[in-house]
Amino acid sequence: MPLPQTEAPGPEVKSPREPRKSQTLPVTTWKSNSMKEQSTHHGGSLRPSLGMLKQTLFRTSLRASTHKPKEDPGLFRRSSRFLLRSLRRAIDEGLTAGHPQGPAVPEKPSRVTDGASRQAATGTEAEDLEPQAESKSVADLITERQLVKAFEQLRYLETQLVADKTSRTFTQDPTAYARRAMDLCLHYDGMAAEIGAIVREALSSEGVDRDALAELAQVVHLEEEAHQTSQAEGDFLSTPRHWRLHWEDAVRLSAQERVQQAGAKVIPGAAEGSSDLAQLLAELGGVVRQDLQKVRLEMQPAYEATDFPVWETYLRAFHSAVAQRLQELARDARGCEQLYVLLDWAANVYGSPDFLGAPDLALPTEPLPPLLEPALWARLESDYTSFLETKITSCFDSILQLEQNRWEADEDREVLQGLYHAPLSIDVHMLVAEHVKAAGAISAELEATTLQICARALCLFVPRFEKAFLASKAVSEWYLGAYINACVELRTSLLARFPGTIKELEKPLVAATNSFQKHLLQIVQQDMQPLFKVLYTKSWLTQDTLRPLMDKVVDFAHHLEHVTPPLAQETLQEVHRFVVREYLGQVLRPHERFSGQDRLKGSNKMNLDAQAISNTFQGLGSEAKWLDQAILSVAEILGETYKDDIRRHLETLIRSYPDIRRDHILAILALRRLGRRRNQNLLQHTQDLLRAAHESRLPSHHVLFEEIEVPTSVDVLITCI
């Protein structure tokens, strides 16, 4: 609706250097113009209403908003709100002044708004003064980004308008004040929009327009000096425009646009793999790195004449934009790999001192807020560990399958550094170390959690692997030795690398080692067991029946040379003990009994066998010297011709082997065939020795006779009677 206005033509001012004349804004060159609406007087004395002013304000603002670049919508809302308050005050003042209005005639559109309203109030007319050809309008200056000159003209016009308002020049024509105030508002908003455009173009373009940035900084500084304090309630003119805050908002919007555009063609959630997400984050890091380097090296020098915190503002803006982008990516992240890539990029790539490519451009840890909120970070770690637990279990399944394939293929056996070697220990160690190291690169808490997951999975894997192997056809000295070495290596390497954190692995690894060692002994025992049956027989007296037995021992010892030394020595001693135990068991459970010369020959043969067994095992490196006396003591009792010395031999035997029982003594005396009275005296004497030996026996004492079963025979019964 056209508004009534008073015809008040006045001279135009060509330059702000003529302070006595009011200059108006060009209404045809800026994108929105409040002067285009011409008012007409209806009824002569009709006063303009507030609703009519609001409609004019709305139409003008609407036209401006359809052409201006996208800016903060609050800027126009604030301008309009304050302008309405200012207009309301101007109208109220005009109504209360009580001055009658003269007849209004349509005002002629001119290139500058009429500023000589005081002449209109007195009826004085002046012809319009056109600007010189070389002068430029405020809109042209803003378009050409001569912001300082544009602001100087706007500031001059604003001062003139405030002075006219204070002198009640617009008492009879409030709409003239409204048009001129609106033009000022729109031009100030246009400058704010141009400031935002300059900020956006600074990052999006290849080069940097340092002159435009310097002009921007200077005009913001001039505006802050011109509008230092807020005016009275409802007064829009001369109020602070907050262009510094507008500049900061533009920086934030510019950073958000740049960050959101990075990797826009990559769809990280399309698959559970990590390659797409890694590519997106790489592009994102490249954009942030390039832009911040540009800010520090090219843009910041353009602002150095002012106090603009350029680096800090851009740094915080990009940090906030990256945090927002990561939160969006975190919502779509799927699978263990994508979650780890996201956490690793946040912790190690973005958080690296070398992220920006130069030491002096390192991202400070303070006072920037965390890239991901603690709650979000904790959720990502929790999701990652949940996926990781399933993945590690699957990896152990793969390791078991690889070993089973080797058993079936009967691949060439490998000897590494003199020991039987299976890839099992290396595969497990690499699996644990790789995941723990990767988690440790993100946080100590995630490292500890990952280590616990690996330990639990390994504790379940070891007995499962043991059961699968022992049920296979691949059980042999080579594989058993290789897996004993693997278990020992895992115990030493994992516990050494992660001390105090993987103690629960000790039990299953020791159990598996003992099981493999037990089956290794069972192989050699089953191989040697038939050879003991020929001992202490008639043929044994004349033949070297011990030679095949010792050959088996030597062959088995060659395998032990490729087993970890502590376990090899322990196994060799077990074989040594087995040979002595089975030898004595065969003697104490004879198929034939010797007397007279055969008994003496048997005693001599036992002495020779005992010496051969001792020499063989000592030559192989056995440290179980405590076994050497067992066969010799029994042989001496059987071959002793001076019967009174038998007591001494029995005492030596009981002291050397405190696990010997009374039935063993009875079996030995039954072989010796002494008289009833002498047997009773020896049994009575040894009874006290056996009781004392059992009482003084410690758990650490060796076991030999305790594992020798002696059945009750007629000869033994006769010896006991």
Side-chain angles (χ1 to χ4, degrees):
M1 176 184 296
L3 297 178
Q5 70 177 22
T6 304
E7 180 180 359
E12 293 184 349
V13 181
K14 301 178 183 179
S15 169
R17 295 184 179 87
E18 301 181 33
R20 299 301 300 172
K21 297 181 181 180
S22 295
Q23 181 178 347
T24 59
L25 296 172
V27 297
T28 59
T29 57
W30 190 246
K31 297 171 185 173
S32 63
N33 185 359
S34 63
M35 290 289 294
K36 192 172 183 180
E37 295 287 342
Q38 298 210 12
S39 59
T40 305
H41 183 273
H42 296 280
S45 61
L46 181 62
R47 295 181 179 271
S49 66
L50 181 59
M52 297 171 66
L53 293 176
K54 288 184 178 180
Q55 292 177 13
T56 303
L57 173 63
F58 172 76
R59 287 195 298 270
T60 309
S61 299
L62 181 61
R63 289 195 303 272
S65 63
T66 58
H67 295 282
K68 290 182 64 176
K70 185 178 180 181
E71 287 294 331
D72 182 6
L75 181 62
F76 284 108
R77 288 197 295 269
R78 292 192 298 269
S79 301
S80 302
R81 184 172 62 253
F82 286 114
L83 181 57
L84 281 173
R85 293 176 182 173
S86 181
L87 293 177
R88 186 180 291 110
R89 288 186 57 190
I91 294 171
D92 292 342
E93 291 174 0
L95 293 176
T96 56
H99 297 289
Q101 277 189 298
V105 296
E107 181 180 346
K108 179 181 64 176
S110 62
R111 195 159 187 268
V112 291
T113 305
D114 183 8
S117 299
R118 286 190 298 270
Q119 295 179 6
T122 59
T124 306
E125 296 185 1
E127 64 180 17
D128 295 334
L129 298 179
E130 295 296 334
Q132 296 179 1
E134 65 274 8
S135 64
K136 295 181 180 179
S137 67
V138 175
D140 292 337
L141 293 174
I142 294 175
T143 303
E144 296 174 4
R145 293 186 174 175
Q146 299 184 37
L147 301 183
V148 174
K149 292 183 178 179
F151 177 76
E152 288 175 350
Q153 290 194 26
L154 285 176
R155 177 56 180 160
Y156 172 77
L157 295 173
E158 184 179 42
T159 304
Q160 288 275 15
L161 187 58
V162 169
D164 291 346
K165 176 176 174 291
T166 303
S167 63
R168 299 183 181 274
T169 303
F170 301 103
T171 301
Q172 297 182 3
D173 189 7
T175 57
Y177 171 80
R179 289 192 302 273
R180 292 175 59 184
M182 174 57 71
D183 281 339
L184 282 172
C185 170
L186 294 178
H187 283 78
Y188 272 133
D189 290 346
M191 291 188 69
E194 199 65 30
I195 289 174
I198 293 173
V199 171
R200 286 195 305 275
E201 293 174 7
L203 284 179
S204 59
S205 60
E206 294 184 0
V208 173
D209 189 349
R210 297 196 176 189
D211 294 337
L213 294 178
E215 192 89 0
L216 181 155
Q218 186 178 358
V219 78
V220 171
H221 182 69
L222 290 174
E223 190 277 330
E224 289 176 340
E225 289 185 346
H227 304 148
Q228 295 184 2
T229 58
S230 300
Q231 301 301 311
E233 177 66 22
D235 195 348
F236 178 77
L237 297 177
S238 299
T239 191
R241 302 289 170 172
H242 304 292
W243 284 350
R244 186 181 294 266
L245 294 178
H246 181 67
W247 173 80
E248 294 177 356
D249 292 340
V251 170
R252 283 192 292 270
L253 290 174
S254 177
Q256 289 177 3
E257 290 175 0
R258 297 287 294 170
V259 168
Q260 291 295 329
Q261 291 171 1
K265 298 181 180 180
V266 182
I267 306 177
E272 292 189 4
S274 60
S275 59
D276 290 340
L277 181 59
Q279 178 185 352
L280 187 151
L281 291 174
E283 293 183 14
L284 174 61
V287 169
V288 175
R289 184 182 303 108
Q290 177 182 354
D291 286 353
L292 286 179
Q293 288 177 350
K294 185 176 184 179
V295 169
R296 190 62 175 266
L297 302 177
E298 301 181 46
M299 295 170 58
Q300 188 173 8
Y303 289 89
E304 61 185 5
T306 60
D307 58 347
F308 271 64
V310 179
W311 174 248
E312 293 77 7
T313 304
Y314 271 96
L315 188 61
R316 288 182 175 276
F318 271 98
H319 185 77
S320 177
V322 171
Q324 180 181 351
R325 186 72 187 279
L326 287 187
Q327 290 178 7
E328 297 171 358
L329 295 175
R331 288 194 298 267
D332 300 330
R334 297 187 300 175
C336 181
E337 290 79 7
Q338 288 191 2
L339 287 169
Y340 180 79
V341 166
L342 197 64
L343 290 170
D344 179 66
W345 191 88
N348 300 320
V349 178
Y350 183 81
S352 171
D354 302 327
F355 174 67
L356 296 181
D360 58 334
L361 298 182
L363 293 174
T365 57
E366 294 293 341
L368 293 177
L371 190 62
L372 295 175
E373 293 296 330
L376 177 59
W377 184 273
R379 182 181 68 79
L380 292 177
E381 284 192 349
S382 177
D383 293 345
Y384 170 72
T385 53
S386 298
F387 284 110
L388 182 64
E389 195 161 3
T390 303
K391 179 183 178 182
I392 289 179
T393 301
S394 176
C395 290
F396 277 118
D397 292 340
S398 300
I399 291 176
L400 176 58
Q401 185 62 48
L402 288 174
E403 292 298 318
Q404 289 174 334
N405 294 339
R406 293 189 183 98
W407 303 337
E408 296 175 359
D410 194 20
E411 297 180 356
D412 294 337
R413 281 74 186 279
E414 182 180 356
V415 178
L416 183 63
Q417 296 180 350
L419 300 177
Y420 290 151
H421 174 72
L424 174 68
S425 59
I426 293 179
D427 293 342
V428 171
H429 189 90
M430 290 182 62
L431 173 65
V432 175
E434 177 183 355
H435 285 91
V436 172
K437 181 181 179 181
I442 295 176
S443 69
E445 294 79 7
L446 188 59
E447 178 183 17
T449 303
T450 303
L451 190 56
Q452 293 175 0
I453 292 174
C454 292
R456 287 195 301 267
L458 187 54
C459 286
L460 296 175
F461 168 77
V462 171
R464 192 157 57 95
F465 172 82
E466 173 194 342
K467 181 179 179 180
F469 169 68
L470 295 179
S472 70
K473 298 180 181 180
V475 178
S476 63
E477 294 92 337
W478 189 94
Y479 271 113
L480 287 168
Y483 291 139
I484 288 174
N485 295 337
C487 290
V488 173
E489 184 178 350
L490 285 175
R491 284 177 59 193
T492 55
S493 61
L494 290 179
L495 293 177
R497 182 164 183 176
F498 311 108
T501 57
I502 237 169
K503 289 183 178 180
E504 57 266 32
L505 282 177
E506 185 78 14
K507 184 177 180 180
L509 287 175
V510 170
T513 302
N514 293 339
S515 177
F516 294 146
Q517 186 182 22
K518 177 182 176 181
H519 282 79
L520 185 61
L521 286 169
Q522 287 177 352
I523 291 177
V524 68
Q525 290 170 1
Q526 292 172 0
D527 201 18
M528 292 190 296
Q529 192 71 48
L531 301 178
F532 287 103
K533 295 181 180 180
V534 298
L535 297 179
Y536 212 74
T537 60
K538 289 290 186 179
S539 60
W540 168 70
L541 292 175
T542 58
Q543 297 177 7
D544 189 6
T545 56
L546 189 66
R547 173 68 62 182
L549 190 63
M550 292 298 99
D551 290 342
K552 294 286 186 182
V553 171
V554 172
D555 292 341
F556 179 74
H558 289 325
H559 290 291
L560 295 181
E561 292 176 357
H562 303 291
V563 177
T564 304
L567 271 298
Q569 178 61 222
E570 184 179 325
T571 306
L572 182 61
Q573 290 185 27
E574 280 298 309
V575 175
H576 191 175
R577 191 174 71 90
F578 169 76
V579 171
V580 173
R581 183 188 69 204
E582 292 301 313
Y583 189 102
L584 288 174
Q586 190 66 26
V587 170
L588 298 180
R589 298 187 304 267
H591 296 288
E592 302 179 31
R593 294 187 179 275
F594 301 139
S595 61
Q597 290 298 320
D598 288 341
R599 178 171 51 78
L600 293 177
K601 289 181 181 179
S603 174
N604 291 333
K605 186 65 183 287
M606 286 179 66
N607 281 319
L608 293 176
D609 287 349
Q611 191 63 42
I613 292 172
S614 177
N615 291 339
T616 300
F617 278 100
Q618 285 185 12
L620 296 174
S622 174
E623 298 176 358
K625 296 181 179 181
W626 61 279
L627 293 168
D628 296 342
Q629 192 62 34
I631 299 176
L632 289 175
S633 296
V634 175
E636 289 174 350
I637 294 174
L638 297 180
E640 182 60 60
T641 57
Y642 186 62
K643 296 181 180 180
D644 290 340
D645 287 345
I646 292 177
R647 178 189 294 246
R648 178 172 52 83
H649 296 314
L650 287 173
E651 292 174 354
T652 302
L653 182 63
I654 293 172
R655 284 194 299 268
S656 300
Y657 304 96
D659 64 326
I660 196 170
R661 298 188 304 270
R662 185 173 182 272
D663 53 350
H664 296 122
I665 301 298
L666 287 173
I668 294 172
L669 293 178
L671 292 175
R672 183 63 180 82
R673 295 190 173 185
L674 298 172
R676 180 181 63 82
R677 182 178 297 176
R678 188 177 294 277
N679 284 340
Q680 291 294 332
N681 290 335
L682 290 175
L683 286 173
Q684 186 176 1
H685 177 68
T686 57
Q687 190 68 31
D688 296 334
L689 294 175
L690 288 171
R691 186 182 301 109
H694 291 165
E695 292 176 354
S696 62
R697 184 185 175 192
L698 300 175
S700 59
H701 282 169
H702 303 294
V703 175
L704 179 62
F705 283 91
E706 186 177 323
E707 297 177 353
I708 300 175
E709 296 293 333
V710 180
T712 302
S713 63
V714 176
D715 292 331
V716 173
L717 291 175
I718 293 174
T719 303
C720 296
I721 297 174

